[in-house]
Amino acid sequence: MKPHKEFLPVPLETSLVLIKPGGVSRRLVGEITRRIEARGLAVVGLKLMSAPRSLVEEHYSEHQGKGFFESVVAYLCSGPVVAMAVRGENAVRAIRAMMGATNPLDAEPGTVRGDLALSIDDNLTHSSSDPEAAARELALWFSEGLPA
Ligand code: CDP
Ligand code: MG
């Protein structure tokens, strides 16, 4: 007999979300956080900060050498960002889907980028692409640690 789905383990994941400087200056912190919480995900770490360049370069190290690296690093350092640790069932995939495609012109309506952004230079959020990236990024942005 197949186990009832209630007894199957569901991956409880924690993902990193950054609200980029454009999202903060456009007063979208509440709207984006509201959508995350409305989905049933929990905010377990939250801070507003001016990110040092070294942290942002490390964060985007996978993109080092690409044409947009300099501009995306400069952009993330151009004003305060909100760093958020978000936890829940399949949180990494759920959040990526909620944020929408990298280029807001390709993002579906109903997503954060599809509803609230227009340009890839100012696509409002970062979210971890997979659980390994999430662990690496959370260690960078929440080096003080998170609740278990
Ligand atoms: O943020 P996401 O994971 O969806 O995209 P990425 O491919 O990891 O790229 C990181 C960020 O670099 C994007 O969110 C954009 O802000 C920026 N980017 C860009 O400006 N131009 C590109 N062609 C690709 C990315
Ligand atoms: Mg990415």
Side-chain angles (χ1 to χ4, degrees):
M1 199 173 80
K2 267 169 60 179
H4 188 277
K5 75 175 178 21
E6 207 175 306
F7 301 115
L8 290 174
V10 175
L12 189 68
E13 297 173 345
T14 310
S15 187
L16 176 76
V17 175
L18 301 176
I19 303 178
K20 296 179 179 180
V24 175
S25 65
R26 286 180 55 203
R27 316 289 193 256
L28 291 172
V29 174
E31 171 64 17
I32 294 168
T33 310
R34 185 197 65 75
R35 289 173 178 229
I36 290 169
E37 291 192 311
R39 193 78 193 277
L41 297 162
V43 176
V44 296
L46 180 66
K47 56 191 170 188
L48 178 75
M49 61 189 281
S50 293
R53 194 179 162 92
S54 55
L55 170 62
V56 174
E57 283 182 352
E58 186 62 38
H59 171 78
Y60 276 135
S61 56
E62 65 172 305
H63 296 309
Q64 211 131 21
K66 294 184 189 164
F68 62 86
F69 180 76
E70 268 309 312
S71 64
V72 76
V73 168
Y75 174 55
L76 236 73
C77 295
S78 68
V81 299
V82 169
M84 207 184 290
V86 181
R87 188 170 291 162
E89 290 178 12
N90 297 300
V92 171
R93 244 185 85 197
I95 291 169
R96 285 291 283 194
M98 285 177 71
M99 296 305 156
T102 303
N103 186 340
L105 291 179
D106 299 325
E108 296 288 335
T111 63
V112 166
R113 287 163 171 171
D115 287 349
L116 306 171
L118 210 45
S119 138
I120 195 167
D121 302 326
D122 193 5
N123 59 6
L124 299 177
T125 57
H126 164 82
S127 53
S128 307
S129 55
D130 55 59
E132 294 69 38
R136 186 184 74 82
E137 294 168 1
L138 287 165
L140 283 175
W141 291 86
F142 289 92
S143 56
E144 68 276 23
L146 288 166

